Amino acid sequence: MARVHLWSSLRRFAEGQEVVEVEGATVGQIFDALARTYPGLAPAIAAGLSVAVDGEVIANSRSAPVRPDSEVYLLQRLKGG
């Protein structure tokens, strides 16, 4: 299972946990598993989050691969200028 680190304002939707574990082989599957397990996260996921998998920022790609031992970070959406 991938370890998903939640940005501080998302933790309240996951019973206050900083790190949760869910199964998924892609970023999209991780998002879907998070929304099923922690329904309160669904609106934030739908609104858009920035994601880093194993230290690499993933932009707008639900198909990006996630290994079972990956470290996934959900962050406030990063915007360029």
Side-chain angles (χ1 to χ4, degrees):
M1 293 217 269
R3 293 175 48 87
V4 180
H5 299 258
L6 302 173
W7 152 52
S8 59
S9 70
L10 295 177
R11 295 175 191 161
R12 65 184 171 172
F13 302 117
E15 302 163 0
Q17 299 178 83
E18 181 178 349
V19 179
V20 297
E21 292 186 345
V22 294
E23 289 194 39
T26 65
V27 168
Q29 289 175 3
I30 294 292
F31 282 168
D32 294 344
L34 286 168
R36 277 192 308 276
T37 306
Y38 305 103
L41 286 173
I45 292 168
L49 298 170
S50 290
V51 182
V53 178
D54 297 327
E56 182 179 337
V57 176
I58 306 298
N60 301 321
S61 179
R62 288 182 54 95
S63 62
V66 176
R67 296 186 324 268
D69 63 341
S70 285
E71 294 279 336
V72 178
Y73 286 80
L74 297 186
L75 311 163
Q76 181 176 8
R77 180 175 236 163
L78 302 175
K79 297 178 183 177

